[in-house]
Amino acid sequence: MAKEKTKTIFVCSNCGETSPRWLGRCPSCGEWNTMTEDVVVTAPAAKGSARRAGEPRQPGYSIEAKRLSQIATTEERSRIVTHIGELDRVLGGGIVVGSVVLLGGEPGAGKSTLLLQLCGAISQQLEVLYITGEESVRQIKLRAVRLGVREENILLAAETDILAICDLIEQTRPSLVVIDSIQTMHCSEVNSSAGSVSQVKECAARLLSVAKSCEIPTFIVGHVNKDGAIAGPKVMEHIVDTVLYFEGDKTLPYRVLRAAKNRYGSTNEIGMFDMAADGLREIENPSQLLLEGRPLGVSGNCVACTMEGTRPILSEVQALVTKSGFGTPRRTASGFDFNRLNLLLAVLEKRAGYFLGNLDVYLNIVGGLQLDETACDLAACLAVVSSMLDKPLGDTTVAIGEVGLGGEVRSVSNLETRLREAQRIGFTKAIVPKHGLAQLDPKDFAGMQLVGVSYLRQAIQAI
Ligand SMILES: Nc1ncnc2c1ncn2[C@@H]1O[C@H](COP(=O)(O)OP(=O)(O)OP(=O)(O)O)[C@@H](O)[C@H]1O
Ligand SMILES: [Mg+2]
Ligand SMILES: [Zn+2]
């Protein structure tokens, strides 16, 4: 019998390229410092066993194609609604049966907490299996008690051997499986340490095949590397159905769940949570949270409305314009695209006549949201002008509109949805594109003054 040989190779964690030597830069994808050591087992193939295309396989081996029309769909049980509204929203309306979801996030973001709460939320009707490779079952129990999770239908196992785990899943046939985390799992058939590229790849592939064959939805936790991407091979993101990122920045007052990929839903939706002692709480009213405690009657502030997927969120734009102490003025933007800011300043100068060449401009989005939608242009411009003139905008004024290079205010998508949100929060004046206003009925917005503007100049006059 041919003997197995082990060999050390280096694998790129970004693209999967292999090399017999260590390299500082991956020759395939050009990334630096991504080559990691790995051990592979090569079993020399028996002589003459290689089959060429067109040659017959072993007798009795055949595959079969089905007609699309003949494949039955079980519509009523195709999604499990978790009743954690923010999670359902990001998943596209619940967990698709048989799907594999990868959940990435920084240490301490709350991945284990979210998944344990998910288990608790659906364990009323369904049985779930929670496998931990990082913590002991006692630690999970303590967390479950702290979170007040319903415990009856949750099976726990502290295990890292993927083959044993796959057997356990096939035996117990739960309705949901959680694997925390993929980097701690190992497969004894692959001869390298847990967390290496080939281990992660192999373990993910095995979980995927069990999930698909038994139709059990599976959540897999993945650690992120220093760049914020899920550590391990990029191929893992390709083979799973959905990739979620849980972002819990230390500076943010809330945590955001985002889909980077979703085969069964939109990737525009975000879920917002607040971490408390008794677990993650859903933030159903982010506008309220973001506008809480803002200073009133101060110049340089303007409220914008951005769409995160189908949800409108009001957010405050702050600008500070001061005399520059240096030859070249300073410009900084946080939460707003820097180049877009420069463009808007150029438009303000050329089309509205506000000379900013000897002034520093600082723009900040309060609350840490990233406003990269052009519908926030008008709010940014008005905040800058308000600070420059030291003229407050009015605390219940919202500005919505895209600013073009000609100084025109262009219409934006979902204007009505945005205005409804502003109305709900109690805003009384909205500066909006004149074009968009034509399609609205002012009677729908009782108690709100709608000011339609065509040019940036008119918008500035309206403040
Ligand atoms: N008693 C508590 N009160 C408030 N918040 C807590 C409490 N205990 C833990 N937390 C919060 O929970 C977070 C840890 O959550 P969790 O263990 O789910 O994170 P994780 O993403 O699984 O981290 P890791 O990658 O280390 O496994 C902490 O950062 C902390 O903010
Ligand atoms: Mg954890
Ligand atoms: Zn590479």
Side-chain angles (χ1 to χ4, degrees):
M1 204 186 99
K3 232 180 119 198
E4 288 187 341
K5 273 196 215 150
T6 62
K7 189 173 76 169
T8 300
I9 57 163
F10 292 85
V11 186
C12 171
S13 59
N14 189 43
C15 67
E17 172 78 2
T18 58
S19 153
R21 287 169 300 117
W22 184 83
L23 299 166
R25 185 174 190 224
C26 169
S28 171
C29 67
E31 288 293 312
W32 290 92
N33 261 330
T34 54
M35 303 301 277
T36 52
E37 193 173 342
D38 213 335
V39 179
V40 288
V41 180
T42 49
K47 253 192 200 146
S49 71
R51 189 186 68 92
R52 288 192 194 87
E55 274 179 39
R57 287 185 183 258
Q58 302 96 309
Y61 185 94
S62 71
I63 57 164
E64 202 188 323
K66 279 187 190 153
R67 276 180 207 286
L68 187 56
S69 57
Q70 285 168 355
I71 297 167
T73 51
T74 45
E75 194 54 61
E76 65 281 7
R77 59 174 287 269
S78 58
R79 276 189 199 258
I80 302 172
V81 178
T82 68
H83 298 294
I84 301 177
E86 301 290 293
L87 180 62
D88 282 337
R89 177 207 300 282
V90 176
L91 288 171
I95 306 166
V96 174
V97 172
S99 67
V100 177
V101 180
L102 185 60
L103 175 66
E106 306 230 324
K111 304 178 290 294
S112 308
T113 308
L114 179 67
L115 292 181
L116 195 56
Q117 281 185 271
L118 163 66
C119 291
I122 66 168
S123 68
Q124 195 172 5
Q125 304 115 23
L126 304 165
E127 193 163 65
V128 299
L129 176 63
Y130 189 108
I131 295 175
T132 172
E134 295 189 338
E135 294 163 293
S136 67
V137 285
R138 267 181 58 83
Q139 282 174 300
I140 305 288
K141 168 81 186 181
L142 285 175
R143 181 179 291 132
V145 170
R146 174 165 63 87
L147 303 178
V149 162
R150 185 189 300 273
E151 294 176 359
E152 296 101 65
N153 277 332
I154 303 179
L155 300 173
L156 278 185
E159 181 57 63
T160 56
D161 181 353
I162 202 75
L163 300 175
I165 291 169
C166 289
D167 285 345
L168 184 64
I169 296 172
E170 282 177 344
Q171 274 166 28
T172 50
R173 296 274 175 155
S175 299
L176 179 83
V177 174
V178 172
I179 307 285
D180 191 2
S181 65
I182 191 74
Q183 276 84 9
T184 56
M185 298 295 150
H186 75 95
C187 175
S188 50
E189 287 175 12
V190 176
N191 211 345
S192 59
S193 58
S196 69
V197 171
S198 51
Q199 280 287 9
V200 167
K201 208 156 123 182
E202 182 67 24
C203 292
R206 292 199 182 238
L207 286 169
L208 188 85
S209 90
V210 174
K212 297 287 169 197
S213 65
C214 304
E215 292 224 309
I216 300 173
T218 305
F219 277 75
I220 303 175
V221 172
H223 292 169
V224 297
N225 59 22
K226 60 180 191 304
D227 310 322
I230 288 173
K234 261 270 178 279
V235 289
M236 202 162 101
E237 298 197 10
H238 292 297
I239 62 173
V240 299
D241 298 308
T242 302
V243 180
L244 304 180
Y245 279 96
F246 203 33
E247 298 164 4
D249 206 56
K250 303 283 176 291
T251 57
L252 286 185
Y254 49 83
R255 292 165 204 240
V256 177
L257 184 68
R258 223 179 264 283
K261 159 184 171 176
N262 194 351
R263 284 192 182 143
Y264 309 111
S266 151
T267 53
N268 291 327
E269 301 287 353
I270 64 166
M272 295 174 98
F273 295 92
D274 190 12
M275 178 68 93
D278 59 353
L280 292 160
R281 293 203 193 118
E282 295 170 51
I283 299 177
E284 276 146 15
N285 200 347
S287 301
Q288 195 97 54
L289 177 94
L290 288 171
L291 296 180
E292 220 161 59
R294 68 195 168 107
L296 301 177
V298 180
S299 66
N301 292 0
C302 183
V303 173
C305 186
T306 184
M307 295 296 294
E308 288 284 356
T310 52
R311 174 161 63 174
I313 298 179
L314 295 177
S315 185
E316 191 185 10
V317 183
Q318 280 192 321
L320 187 68
V321 179
T322 59
K323 216 168 149 263
S324 182
F326 302 97
T328 30
R330 272 179 70 102
R331 268 87 219 260
T332 68
S334 87
F336 198 86
D337 183 50
F338 179 72
N339 293 321
R340 189 87 198 158
L341 171 66
N342 280 329
L343 184 149
L344 293 177
L345 294 180
V347 173
L348 270 175
E349 192 163 318
K350 183 86 181 170
R351 307 288 179 189
Y354 290 91
F355 184 67
L356 292 143
N358 55 357
L359 298 170
D360 290 344
V361 179
Y362 305 93
L363 198 76
N364 179 36
I365 310 303
V366 185
L369 215 62
Q370 183 76 29
L371 298 193
D372 33 35
E373 225 195 340
T374 48
C376 303
D377 287 352
L378 188 60
C381 288
L382 293 185
V384 168
V385 173
S386 161
S387 175
M388 191 181 175
L389 305 178
D390 201 14
K391 186 175 168 193
L393 214 75
D395 299 321
T396 53
T397 304
V398 59
I400 302 163
E402 178 182 342
V403 174
L405 290 184
E408 76 277 17
V409 177
R410 296 169 162 266
S411 50
V412 300
S413 59
N414 303 310
L415 183 60
E416 191 175 341
T417 318
R418 294 177 209 252
L419 286 174
R420 287 213 183 287
E421 176 75 357
Q423 188 187 31
R424 193 177 66 83
I425 301 293
F427 279 74
T428 55
K429 184 174 169 185
I431 303 175
V432 295
K434 199 164 198 166
H435 268 294
L437 207 56
Q439 288 134 32
L440 298 178
D441 186 0
K443 277 196 226 96
D444 287 351
F445 298 95
M448 200 170 183
Q449 184 196 354
L450 300 179
V451 185
V453 294
S454 308
Y455 290 95
L456 193 51
R457 262 178 211 274
Q458 294 173 337
I460 293 167
Q461 277 160 11
I463 65 177

